[in-house]
């Protein structure tokens, strides 16, 4: 069966990473978390104290940075890690999962030149198909020709609660209200930016998983993927 390119876009806390990882596991596809690339670059910029509005330096930094995503070890997978992230050869899997890095990533993601560098990397990584890539612009910009596009969403309150639970599991003290504010601020910036804003592609399937868990959501997308795999195989046979 020919393997597809599956894109999953949606706002923070919509369950993209957990769902995408699970789908990739069931289908035997590669999973790629594009947000981790923006986060890794943001971490480097914060460490070097590059201001988030210094576009020229941030674009130069992006060009001079090597970000690699790898599957987690079984120990890491058991603790919820979905992609290992290496920044210029140094593992930053945990270091990029802070609210500070998330906000910085959302800010540098507004810069067209930064996006161009990371989008090119993402297109290279997914060129062979058989990939589930998640982010904000994967179905609209990175892989507009993808065979299956999903737009995941849930109410802001449920999305904030999911993020809050993640922080709590890591022992970080944040109130649900603080997380809700962080999610609101980031969503607003991600949706309103001029370049590649978070928007549902016209041909994306909208999945509102407010009342669904990861397994239920993944099962639904896997069903859609199996249908598409058959359609693609049938169309190829007719050529
Ligand atoms: O998915 P995430 O929360 O790890 O992403 C962090 C930030 O990176 C997000 O607020 C916006 C940006 N991002 C983006 O602009 N485009 C993507 N494809 C993925 C993430």
């Amino acid at each position: 069966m020919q393997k597809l390119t599956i894109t999953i876009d949606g706002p923070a806390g919509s369950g993209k990473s957990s769902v995408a990882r699970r789908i990739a596991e069931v289908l035997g596809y590669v999973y790629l978390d594009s947000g981790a690339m923006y986060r890794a670059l943001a971490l480097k910029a914060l460490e070097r104290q590059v201001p988030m509005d210094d576009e020229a330096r941030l674009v130069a930094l992006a060009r001079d940075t090597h970000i690699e995503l790898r599957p987690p070890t079984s120990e890491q997978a058991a603790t919820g890690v979905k992609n290992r992230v290496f920044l210029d050869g140094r593992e930053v899997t945990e270091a990029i999962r802070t609210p500070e890095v998330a906000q910085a990533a959302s800010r540098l993601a507004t810069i067209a030149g930064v996006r161009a560098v990371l989008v090119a990397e993402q297109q290279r990584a997914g060129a062979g198909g058989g990939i589930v890539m998640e982010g904000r612009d994967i179905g609209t910009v990175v892989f507009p020709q993808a065979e299956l596009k999903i737009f995941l969403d849930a109410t802001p309150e449920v999305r904030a609660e999911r993020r809050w639970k993640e922080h709590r599991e890591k022992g970080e003290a944040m109130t649900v209200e603080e997380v809700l504010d962080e999610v609101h601020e980031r969503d607003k910036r991600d949706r309103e930016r001029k370049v590649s804003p978070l928007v549902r592609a016209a041909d994306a399937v909208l999945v509102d998983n407010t009342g669904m868990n990861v397994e239920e959501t993944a099962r639904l997308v896997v069903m859609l993927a199996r249908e598409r795999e058959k359609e693609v195989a049938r169309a190829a046979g007719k050529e």
Side-chain angles (χ1 to χ4, degrees):
M1 197 66 82
Q2 194 194 320
K3 291 191 169 186
L4 312 174
T5 297
I6 302 178
T7 67
I8 304 198
D9 292 301
S14 56
K16 295 184 302 294
S17 308
S18 308
V19 170
R21 169 101 177 85
R22 184 74 185 118
I23 297 164
E25 194 175 52
V26 175
L27 294 175
Y29 284 20
V30 171
Y31 159 67
L32 199 136
D33 170 7
S34 68
M37 299 172 76
Y38 289 90
R39 285 173 182 257
L41 185 62
L43 177 68
K44 184 166 173 178
L46 287 170
E47 285 174 349
R48 299 195 173 191
Q49 299 183 349
V50 180
M52 289 300 152
D53 55 2
D54 190 336
E55 298 201 2
R57 274 182 76 192
L58 289 168
V59 174
L61 197 70
R63 291 204 182 109
D64 188 37
T65 297
H66 181 69
I67 300 165
E68 201 189 330
L69 303 185
R70 293 188 210 154
T73 62
S74 45
E75 291 81 32
Q76 286 175 318
T79 65
V81 172
K82 293 158 198 106
N83 261 166
R84 290 179 84 179
V85 187
F86 291 84
L87 172 63
D88 297 323
R90 163 173 65 112
E91 181 154 15
V92 294
T93 307
E94 295 296 325
I96 60 168
R97 299 290 160 198
T98 67
E100 189 194 13
V101 172
Q103 283 294 346
S106 164
R107 290 191 62 189
L108 64 75
T110 63
I111 303 169
V114 166
R115 300 198 70 86
V117 175
L118 296 188
V119 165
E121 286 286 325
Q122 291 152 14
Q123 288 171 334
R124 257 194 298 277
I131 190 156
V132 185
M133 194 177 293
E134 52 106 345
R136 304 292 188 288
D137 62 337
I138 310 303
T140 50
V141 175
V142 182
F143 292 115
Q145 312 298 344
E147 291 91 356
L148 180 61
K149 301 181 185 178
I150 305 291
F151 192 89
L152 267 194
D153 210 348
T155 62
E157 290 73 22
V158 164
R159 294 189 288 108
E161 197 182 326
R162 290 175 184 161
R163 273 285 143 94
W164 174 74
K165 281 187 183 150
E166 283 171 18
H167 287 303
R168 194 189 51 182
E169 275 158 24
K170 285 192 274 172
E172 291 158 9
M174 272 181 95
T175 64
V176 183
E177 290 72 28
E178 281 168 337
V179 179
L180 187 59
D181 283 349
E182 197 268 326
V183 164
H184 267 314
E185 188 183 340
R186 212 143 58 85
D187 282 352
K188 186 169 156 48
R189 194 184 298 115
D190 295 344
R191 286 182 202 274
E192 292 179 1
R193 69 181 175 222
K194 287 201 187 71
V195 265
S196 313
L198 169 65
V199 53
R200 176 185 166 193
D203 52 352
V205 180
L206 173 66
V207 177
D208 184 324
N209 67 6
T210 300
M212 288 155 79
N213 63 26
V214 170
E215 203 49 43
E216 289 163 338
T217 315
R219 210 172 297 159
L220 174 66
V221 180
V222 165
M223 265 166 49
L224 295 172
R226 299 250 196 252
E227 294 268 303
R228 282 301 281 144
E229 280 181 340
K230 280 191 211 135
E231 282 169 16
V232 168
R234 231 177 282 135
K238 280 197 194 128
E239 271 168 18

